[in-house]
Amino acid sequence: MRKILSLAVAVTAGLALAGIGQASAQEKLKAAWVYIGPVGDFGWTYQHDQGRKAVEAAFGDKVETTYVESVPEGPDAERVIEQLARAGNKIIFTTSFGYMEPTLKVAKRHPKVFFEHATGYKRDKNLATYNAKFHEGRYVLGQIAAKMSKTGTIGYIASFPIPEVISGINSLMLGAQSVNPDMKIKVVWVNSWFDPAKEADAGKALIDQGADVISQHTDSPAAMQAAEARGVKAFGQASDMITFGPKAQLTSIVDNWGPYYVERVKAAMDGTWKPTDTWAGMKDGEVVMAPYTNMPDDVKAMAQATQAKITSGELNPFKGPIYNQKGELVVKEGEVLADKDILSMNWYVKGIDDKVPGQ
């Protein structure tokens, strides 16, 4: 059984929800999700909601799920999370980096509720964190882009300058440079996770600057649609976006959250839940590549081979030598950048035509 809450209802109807939650808590486990965008964004939030549906499919009447969509990062997020905790939810998933502090605050006030925060780094006795190694997929994208681009320029639509996004840009560039050392990446920061108008404008601006392959770290298919309209190639984000770019899409990084959500809800049910820190990737099946399309067979074969090497552990995108924009050797030949350094990355690799905002 599923309940859908609007933001307004979630914020204003706390006491009523609390009563309902307590009455049903003994009958089934209640699990809730907080989303940054609408479930129909066909990207990040859509894919998290597919994971929620996987929980419903796995546990049937033993679980009741709820989601609140389009929740801004900030005070509104704290109010929504608080209301979901008061409503009797046993486990609450908050799915955007900017929910980190609100989730931590509410978790401290509700020690008997399990909280799970996506892409953050702050944990507590009842607060776990989870993330995915999206950069593994972006390395494959970089190689494909280098093979497919005629101008030697990749356009990148970026959301916010956080390590997850910066490491994605760097991994894309390292993949591209492994094929063509002269590749360039131009970046446009839209300072939003979901703003289709801005994303489309950014895509058009990058194409006007010479980019003929567009990549994105934002949630809607607007950039894909802009690429389709302008006759250039593009990569989808979070979901398979081939519907929006049948001639443009080369592949897409698909986030597969279902297995993780099923595992964590089960742990909440059987009393084995712990405040873990999970960072899964291709080998775990959490980062999946959509079919390789609109490319020659040899490029497809290269992409498949690289994907297989990353999955097996034979290839790590952040294996040295790696130089930063100042030309300084950051990772020595044969060495691999530590996970903690990828998760806190705030610098660009050599060759990216941009400056990290604020530096």
Side-chain angles (χ1 to χ4, degrees):
M1 182 178 181
R2 173 170 61 85
K3 295 175 68 178
I4 306 173
L5 302 180
S6 69
L7 176 58
V9 171
V11 170
T12 60
L15 293 178
L17 286 172
I20 293 172
Q22 290 169 2
S24 60
Q26 296 179 348
E27 300 172 1
K28 60 182 68 177
L29 184 136
K30 298 181 70 173
W33 279 257
V34 182
Y35 297 144
I36 187 67
V39 295
D41 69 356
F42 300 104
W44 176 260
T45 295
Y46 172 82
Q47 215 61 34
H48 279 285
D49 202 54
Q50 293 299 301
R52 179 190 63 77
K53 291 178 179 178
V55 169
E56 289 189 333
F59 299 110
D61 291 340
K62 294 180 181 179
V63 66
E64 177 181 312
T65 74
T66 300
Y67 68 81
V68 186
E69 58 186 337
S70 301
V71 178
E73 296 171 335
D76 283 341
E78 184 175 341
R79 286 193 286 272
V80 168
I81 299 165
E82 175 71 25
Q83 295 298 336
L84 290 170
R86 291 185 185 184
N89 287 287
K90 182 65 175 178
I91 184 167
I92 299 173
F93 299 92
T94 60
T95 65
S96 189
F97 181 81
Y99 295 157
M100 183 165 64
E101 294 297 341
T103 304
L104 183 62
K105 289 180 181 177
V106 179
K108 288 184 179 300
R109 293 197 291 264
H110 297 274
K112 294 184 179 180
V113 178
F114 301 134
F115 294 85
E116 300 250 357
H117 179 235
T119 78
Y121 54 84
K122 292 188 177 180
R123 287 169 289 282
D124 208 333
K125 294 179 179 178
N126 61 330
L127 172 57
T129 54
Y130 61 107
N131 202 342
K133 296 179 180 178
F134 308 112
H135 66 273
E136 292 181 342
R138 295 192 191 283
Y139 187 90
V140 180
L141 305 189
Q143 286 195 328
I144 296 171
K147 284 284 190 181
M148 297 298 295
S149 176
K150 296 179 181 177
T151 64
T153 302
I154 306 168
Y156 202 105
I157 303 166
S159 49
F160 294 101
I162 61 175
E164 173 192 327
V165 179
I166 294 170
S167 65
I169 296 170
N170 283 339
S171 187
L172 185 87
M173 185 55 156
L174 291 170
Q177 289 177 336
S178 72
V179 174
N180 177 1
D182 297 325
M183 287 296 293
K184 296 180 180 178
I185 294 181
K186 292 183 178 292
V187 183
V188 171
W189 295 89
V190 296
N191 296 311
S192 174
W193 292 111
F194 180 76
D195 190 326
K198 277 188 176 180
E199 293 168 51
D201 287 345
K204 295 172 186 174
L206 288 165
I207 294 169
D208 289 341
Q209 293 174 45
D212 60 354
V213 179
I214 301 297
S215 190
Q216 65 179 92
H217 206 129
T218 49
D219 295 349
S220 87
M224 177 64 69
Q225 291 171 311
E228 180 80 5
R230 296 286 293 271
V232 303
K233 301 302 182 186
F235 299 111
Q237 165 72 7
S239 292
D240 186 346
M241 295 180 171
I242 189 69
T243 302
F244 304 93
K247 296 181 181 178
Q249 179 168 297
L250 295 166
T251 185
S252 177
I253 299 172
V254 179
D255 308 340
N256 180 29
W257 300 110
Y260 179 79
Y261 284 150
V262 170
E263 176 186 334
R264 300 302 283 170
V265 169
K266 183 178 184 299
M269 285 179 170
D270 62 23
T272 61
W273 189 96
K274 294 181 179 178
T276 52
D277 175 27
T278 303
W279 198 34
M282 283 184 170
K283 73 174 183 179
D284 312 286
E286 196 159 293
V287 175
V288 180
M289 303 305 293
Y292 299 108
T293 57
N294 297 311
M295 65 183 73
D297 289 344
D298 65 317
V299 180
K300 179 179 179 180
M302 176 202 66
Q304 290 172 327
T306 298
Q307 180 181 348
K309 289 179 181 178
I310 293 175
T311 301
S312 69
E314 181 182 347
L315 192 159
N316 187 311
F318 287 109
K319 184 177 181 179
I322 299 175
Y323 295 86
N324 64 18
Q325 282 186 311
K326 296 179 182 177
E328 299 166 337
L329 183 63
V330 179
V331 184
K332 296 179 181 177
E333 174 99 32
E335 294 185 354
V336 173
L337 195 63
D339 287 354
K340 66 179 179 59
D341 294 324
I342 299 172
L343 290 166
S344 60
M345 190 171 281
N346 64 351
W347 52 271
Y348 278 143
V349 301
K350 186 178 180 181
I352 293 176
D353 187 11
D354 186 43
K355 291 184 178 179
V356 175
Q359 294 186 14

